[in-house]
Amino acid sequence: MKINRRDSLRLLGAGTLGILAGPLRGNTAKASHMVTLSFDDGFEKSSIKTAEIYEKYGLSACINVIATGHLGGSDDEYQDWPMGDFSLWNELKKRGHEIMPHSYRHAKLTKMPLKEAEGLVQKCMDVFDKELDGYASDASVYNCAYNASSPELEAWLKTKFRAIRTGWGHFNPLPHEGQFRLTCSLNGPDNIDKPLLKAVDEFLEGPSGWMIYNAHGLDEEGWGPMSSVFLDELLGRLKEIDHVRVLPVIPALDSV
Ligand SMILES: [Zn+2]
């Protein structure tokens, strides 16, 4: 099922909120379009705000964090903002948000020998095992730093994780049994409101599928930030569309 051009414009244009309003459908009906905004890096202020905006709509956010981010573990210039720590991640997880690994120290794993890359992922898993309540790698999605992976690394990750998020392209088939390799797109380093809006619009006009879009911080934080006002409005509008679901990765995979 797809929505027509007119509905799509109603959704994403600057029209009055509530045009598409109707009784909210539960999760019983099958969605034709799923949308996951996959927020990376774990900026403290942005993550708190992101969770609050999702909660406003009764939705769960998808937040992917660097195991040593709060210890200054990454030297990426776009991560020079205060990062959340595991007390925050545990709190957000308890509130129903998805907190997933996004590397040990944000190294590009395709730029090193395979064994070294595997060692860094293992260190990341060890931190999550120790610090994140209820964490299990084989029930989790590993979000590759820079969405960089190789076939060899992916084969190893498949022995550890339920799924991975890597590059490139935000169109994925709807969740199905055995789905492991998820791809995403992104934009940056400037504000991403416009390119994300365009991508959502085109996705909703196309065939059934699962859009996974890699976002980062809100407002001023991180590479390719999104405006918090825009996120609020986008979620509000997406939630009103009958055949669209906004879900984190694991609940999406569980919806099969
Ligand atoms: Zn990142």
Side-chain angles (χ1 to χ4, degrees), residues 40-41 79 102 106:
D40 275 4
D41 295 339
Q79 290 159 6
H102 179 51
H106 216 268

Coordinates of all heavy atoms in Angstrom, one line a residue, residues 40-41 79 102 106, ligand 1:
D40 N 22.8 8.5 16.5 CA 24.1 8.0 16.9 C 24.9 9.0 17.9 O 24.6 10.2 17.9 CB 25.0 7.9 15.7 CG 24.9 6.5 15.0 OD1 24.0 5.8 15.4 OD2 25.6 6.3 14.0
D41 N 25.8 8.3 18.5 CA 26.9 8.9 19.2 C 26.7 9.1 20.7 O 27.6 9.1 21.5 CB 27.5 10.2 18.6 CG 28.1 9.9 17.2 OD1 28.4 8.7 16.9 OD2 28.2 10.8 16.3
Q79 N 32.4 15.0 17.8 CA 31.8 14.4 19.0 C 32.3 15.1 20.3 O 32.3 14.6 21.4 CB 32.2 12.9 19.1 CG 31.4 12.2 18.0 CD 32.0 10.8 17.6 OE1 32.9 10.4 18.2 NE2 31.4 10.2 16.7
H102 N 27.4 1.4 19.5 CA 27.9 2.2 18.3 C 29.4 2.3 18.5 O 30.0 3.4 18.6 CB 27.2 3.5 18.3 CG 27.7 4.4 17.1 ND1 27.7 3.9 15.8 CD2 28.1 5.7 17.1 CE1 28.1 4.9 15.0 NE2 28.4 6.0 15.8
H106 N 34.8 4.6 18.4 CA 34.4 5.3 17.1 C 35.5 5.2 16.1 O 35.8 6.1 15.3 CB 34.0 6.7 17.3 CG 32.9 7.1 16.4 ND1 33.1 7.7 15.1 CD2 31.5 7.0 16.4 CE1 32.0 7.9 14.5 NE2 31.0 7.5 15.3
Ligands
ZN1 ZN 29.0 7.8 15.0

